[in-house]
Amino acid sequence: MSTTTTVVSETRAKHSSETRAKHDAARVELLLGELRLPGVKLIWAKLAEQSDKEGWPAARFLAALAEHEMADRGRRRMERHLTEARLPAGKTLATFDFDSVPMVSKAQVMALASGDAWLGKGANILLFGPPGGGKSHLAAALGLALIENGWRVMFARTTDLVQRLQVARRELALESAIAKLDRYDLLILDDIAYVTKDQAETSVLFELIAARYERRSMLITANQPFGEWGKIFPDQAMTLASIDRLVHHATILEMNVESYRRREALDRKRGRGRPATHATIKKTEKSED
Ligand code: ADP
Ligand code: MG
């Protein structure tokens, strides 16, 4: 064979292997799209190049791709869970000042944030305290931490959720509306005591509590103690039955502190940087009397 012929056939072979590689790449892209593997689709070409260059065994390449897809799915799932949770923005456990709520143990809250001991068996958390004491903040922050730990959560103002369930009831779809909420390991009902009189005339809230009892958890915040819950439900029997179910397996946290906002405002007026604890404020107020 002459030198010219060899060069020509080598060029041809190179050309055909490049065409082949391009063809394969196009096929891979198409198939990954069909298989709905967007994460793999994004990364495979880069990984394949590295794998070819470093001579990885095929199993190593495949494992790297699969790991990438797993991580990507996990990220996307968490994003979905965060969106569906409708948590108020910016309320985290890291920004919650536990010093200002001395009756709430940080260690206990941190343990609750893992979810394991209580969400699996449908236990509840009840947060009581006057307005401004940090109930909504703590509830939302716990919700966020639980989502980060893989649980599904939904946060709602109780009156909004009751309104939605009332609409469902009118459309004879209350049962399925409540069943749909089963997908959430935790339902956060903020400000249960704000349920209005006309809303209380229907029993949707009772139906919800009864349906979730011992199966799916609820975290309820209230600025009124149980004694005042009579106006949340249609009659006394339902009020008692609801309270009974809620407290049966519940952690009750009482946040009897003065409004955080008010204390912060006071602190600013007095030129202090950091909000003081309740106890400190009391002392200060007394000494200023
Ligand atoms: P509640 O729901 O009990 O009425 P919020 O949770 O809405 O009170 O608290 C009122 C405001 O004060 C919010 O902006 C919240 O983030 C803030 N806040 C309350 N308690 C704390 C706390 N312990 N640490 C940090 N911020 C707090
Ligand atoms: Mg609140």
Side-chain angles (χ1 to χ4, degrees):
M1 220 192 284
S2 78
T3 334
T4 331
T5 333
T6 319
V7 170
V8 167
S9 68
E10 268 175 9
T11 315
R12 230 182 244 147
K14 189 169 167 232
H15 185 72
S16 87
S17 88
E18 267 171 19
T19 316
R20 180 79 200 262
K22 264 192 204 147
H23 180 70
D24 281 344
R27 236 161 41 112
V28 167
E29 294 274 329
L30 197 74
L31 290 168
L32 289 175
E34 285 285 311
L35 287 168
R36 293 186 216 296
L37 293 168
V40 175
K41 202 171 158 188
L42 273 179
I43 195 84
W44 81 271
K46 209 173 125 230
L47 267 185
E49 197 187 318
Q50 188 182 2
S51 167
D52 287 343
K53 206 160 38 185
E54 297 174 10
W56 291 2
R60 174 149 169 221
F61 172 64
L62 200 54
L65 272 186
E67 257 165 32
H68 185 83
E69 176 65 14
M70 283 289 282
D72 205 51
R73 277 189 197 184
R75 255 194 312 277
R76 274 180 283 141
R77 189 181 318 117
M78 178 143 357
E79 267 166 33
R80 268 200 318 277
H81 291 177
L82 274 174
T83 311
E84 74 185 7
R86 297 193 217 133
L87 294 168
K91 307 297 179 193
T92 65
L93 287 175
T95 58
F96 189 78
D97 174 22
F98 284 91
D99 288 346
S100 63
V101 200
M103 61 290 277
V104 170
S105 139
K106 182 173 182 179
Q108 187 184 15
V109 170
M110 290 311 188
L112 290 169
S114 83
D116 299 328
W118 61 292
L119 290 182
K121 55 179 191 209
N124 304 312
I125 296 183
L126 305 173
L127 291 185
F128 289 112
K135 299 181 300 297
S136 299
H137 186 138
L138 189 57
L142 264 173
L144 179 63
L146 289 166
I147 292 171
E148 284 167 352
N149 284 322
W151 301 93
R152 288 179 77 178
V153 174
M154 191 184 94
F155 183 104
R157 280 168 48 196
T158 312
T159 60
D160 292 348
L161 186 69
V162 165
Q163 211 168 337
R164 269 171 49 198
L165 292 178
Q166 276 179 319
V167 170
R169 194 181 65 103
R170 276 198 292 276
E171 292 166 357
L172 304 178
L174 179 61
E175 212 174 315
S176 76
I178 287 176
K180 268 193 202 137
L181 295 172
D182 264 4
R183 80 171 90 129
Y184 299 108
D185 300 292
L186 178 67
L187 212 55
I188 300 177
L189 299 188
D190 198 24
D191 284 326
I192 197 171
Y194 286 179
V195 167
T196 55
K197 257 219 140 35
D198 61 319
Q199 286 184 321
E201 277 157 22
T202 72
S203 58
V204 293
L205 195 54
F206 171 75
E207 304 280 344
L208 177 68
I209 291 167
R212 291 182 78 89
Y213 177 59
E214 290 190 324
R215 293 192 311 112
R216 287 278 183 269
S217 299
M218 299 210 254
L219 188 164
I220 290 179
T221 79
N223 54 25
Q224 304 272 1
F226 291 128
E228 309 294 318
W229 281 28
K231 70 173 188 50
I232 306 173
F233 299 93
D235 56 50
Q236 204 195 5
M238 265 190 212
T239 308
L240 291 177
S242 301
I243 294 173
D244 206 51
R245 283 172 173 78
L246 287 176
V247 302
H248 188 190
H249 310 281
T251 301
I252 300 181
L253 301 175
E254 305 230 22
M255 304 171 70
N256 288 322
V257 287
E258 217 189 307
S259 159
Y260 189 83
R261 274 183 293 251
R262 211 177 86 81
R263 275 179 291 154
E264 241 185 355
L266 276 175
D267 282 341
R268 269 198 304 276
K269 223 167 88 187
R270 289 170 183 157
R272 285 197 221 103
R274 196 184 146 275
T277 65
H278 186 51
T280 320
I281 279 272
K282 259 193 171 163
K283 239 192 277 154
T284 315
E285 278 171 351
K286 266 202 199 112
S287 65
E288 279 176 1
D289 278 347

